Amino acid sequence: MASDQATTPPPPPLPEIQSHDLSQVIVLHPPPVFNYFMDLFSKKFHLLKAWESPLPLHEFLTNHAHSAQAMLCSGTGPSISADIIRLLPSLRLVATTSAGLNHIDLTECRNRGISIANAGEAFSEDVADLAVGLLIDVFRKVSASDRYVRHGLWATKGDYPLGSKLGGKRIGIVGLGSIGFQVAKRLEAFGCNISYNSRKRKDFVSYPFYTNVCELAANSDVLIICCGLTEQTRHMINREVLLALGKEGVIVNIGRGAIIHEKELVQCLVQGEIGGAGLDVFENEPDVPKELFELDNVVLAPHMAVFTTESFKDLCDLMIGNLEAFFSKKPLLSPVMNE
């Protein structure tokens, strides 16, 4: 029997949030995290995508000059130069998905009261893992012996040449920030002896501190580059430093390519003046010196130290959190420079 009570009609659906109701975030070029999580950003913000616009960049920016208060960028996209910043007088936040800041004109941001947020420590553990992985690969010849097996040489030429032990090596870390410290912790567990060079001595560690990177190299079996790229660090690792590292020395770079003078590095490797290299970054990416392709004591990676699912999800959450905090007038989660 049908009920005599009137049925209550279902509540009307909530109105769908339109993109024009969302806070605007200008993006010049899609950061790598967009390849996996752009939909999460699009649900929260109205993304002004310069790369999809038919307009020249300066016209696109001029059209949004008085509405765009926040920008999302990355180290792989166009530089956020003074010229770009001046076209956006309402800009108050630049959020970058990288830890490094060399692609942003910090002076112009400071002069205009623009806050900056970066990736903070979202990448530190995964970048440190790759640094250790590259070093193990160089010492134990993992990639080179893999090629040896795949090319059928084990059956025809016999055992592969000996590698080197990691434990007991003297490790010099250039830049003992968040990433450098994670590298140090991991290599301590292997029984390595840690020293470092940084802008200033770190009170929270007891590792020997060198003010001069050349002296650090002379007292190390391995140099691991973990610092950021600035005018002071550009080509800091030059032929003099590499020769101080010596014929058995190994260099690992997970910082920025231009911290090392790449031509002098290639020359030292080809001439056998250092023992090997593990490189995730290069001076003119994605171009890599072809001389390195033939060297079994060199391990190459395509700037992938941060490329893990876990890192990208953490980064996505952090960037969204920074943007939400900015538009809510709350403190940023990973501020580098506040207005």
Side-chain angles (χ1 to χ4, degrees):
M1 180 182 294
S3 171
D4 293 334
Q5 295 180 340
T7 58
T8 304
L14 293 173
E16 185 176 337
I17 298 175
Q18 301 298 315
S19 63
H20 59 262
D21 296 325
L22 301 173
S23 299
Q24 294 184 351
V25 177
I26 198 159
V27 188
L28 304 187
H29 184 270
V33 71
F34 272 22
N35 292 332
Y36 309 94
F37 297 112
M38 186 166 69
D39 60 323
L40 297 182
F41 286 88
S42 298
K43 290 176 182 176
K44 299 272 188 177
F45 311 103
H46 179 196
L47 301 177
L48 304 173
K49 304 172 184 176
W51 75 93
E52 290 185 353
S53 173
L55 296 175
L57 181 59
H58 71 279
E59 287 187 30
F60 178 84
L61 296 178
T62 300
N63 285 350
H64 299 287
H66 299 290
S67 61
Q69 297 184 59
M71 175 183 287
L72 183 66
C73 66
S74 73
T76 60
S79 294
I80 311 305
S81 64
D83 289 340
I84 285 177
I85 293 169
R86 289 168 189 155
L87 290 171
L88 297 168
S90 297
L91 190 66
R92 289 294 174 265
L93 172 69
V94 175
T96 177
T97 60
S98 65
L101 303 171
N102 56 292
H103 56 293
I104 301 172
D105 191 318
L106 301 180
T107 301
E108 188 68 20
C109 287
R110 188 178 295 111
N111 291 342
R112 292 178 173 267
I114 298 170
S115 298
I116 295 177
N118 73 344
E121 299 182 4
F123 295 145
S124 298
E125 292 187 352
D126 287 343
V127 174
D129 287 349
L130 186 72
V132 174
L134 288 170
L135 181 57
I136 292 173
D137 196 332
V138 175
F139 275 145
R140 297 305 306 270
K141 309 178 187 295
V142 179
S143 293
S145 60
D146 175 85
R147 292 191 294 272
Y148 189 80
V149 173
R150 290 176 189 272
H151 293 160
L153 299 178
W154 190 14
T156 58
K157 293 191 173 183
D159 292 340
Y160 195 75
L162 297 178
S164 294
K165 180 179 180 177
L166 177 57
K169 292 293 191 294
R170 300 171 301 161
I171 308 292
I173 295 177
V174 181
L176 198 70
S178 174
I179 293 171
F181 181 60
Q182 292 293 335
V183 171
K185 284 171 54 179
R186 283 155 173 72
L187 290 173
E188 272 193 301
F190 281 92
C192 296
N193 301 302
I194 310 296
S195 301
Y196 73 102
N197 163 269
S198 215
R199 284 177 294 180
K200 58 184 180 180
R201 186 187 299 271
K202 308 293 184 179
D203 295 334
F204 59 88
V205 297
S206 58
Y207 309 138
F209 171 64
Y210 288 83
T211 58
N212 184 287
V213 72
C214 204
E215 291 180 11
L216 176 66
N219 289 279
S220 300
D221 302 307
V222 176
L223 274 188
I224 303 182
I225 312 304
C226 302
C227 61
L229 177 62
T230 66
E231 288 306 310
Q232 290 72 39
T233 62
R234 183 178 295 276
H235 288 179
M236 175 174 63
I237 307 302
N238 54 21
R239 180 175 175 81
E240 180 186 9
V241 175
L242 295 169
L243 292 180
L245 185 60
K247 289 184 177 296
E248 302 299 320
V250 170
I251 190 162
V252 172
N253 191 3
I254 44 83
R256 285 290 185 269
I259 296 169
I260 299 178
H261 194 304
E262 193 165 83
K263 288 184 179 179
E264 294 183 355
L265 171 65
V266 170
Q267 184 181 48
C268 286
L269 285 164
V270 169
Q271 296 178 354
E273 292 172 317
I274 64 170
L279 306 172
D280 183 52
V281 289
F282 304 89
E283 194 159 353
N284 298 296
E285 296 176 2
D287 296 327
V288 177
K290 292 181 172 52
E291 298 93 327
L292 300 179
F293 296 169
E294 306 302 320
L295 301 177
D296 278 343
N297 59 338
V298 176
V299 180
L300 307 172
H303 201 153
M304 54 168 278
V306 305
F307 279 47
T308 70
T309 303
E310 295 83 357
S311 270
F312 270 34
K313 183 58 172 68
D314 289 346
L315 176 66
C316 175
D317 293 342
L318 180 63
M319 290 295 107
I320 288 175
N322 273 313
L323 290 166
E324 288 181 329
F326 168 75
F327 288 117
S328 302
K329 302 188 184 307
K330 295 178 180 178
L332 298 175
L333 303 186
S334 57
V336 177
M337 177 166 50
N338 288 303
E339 60 181 341

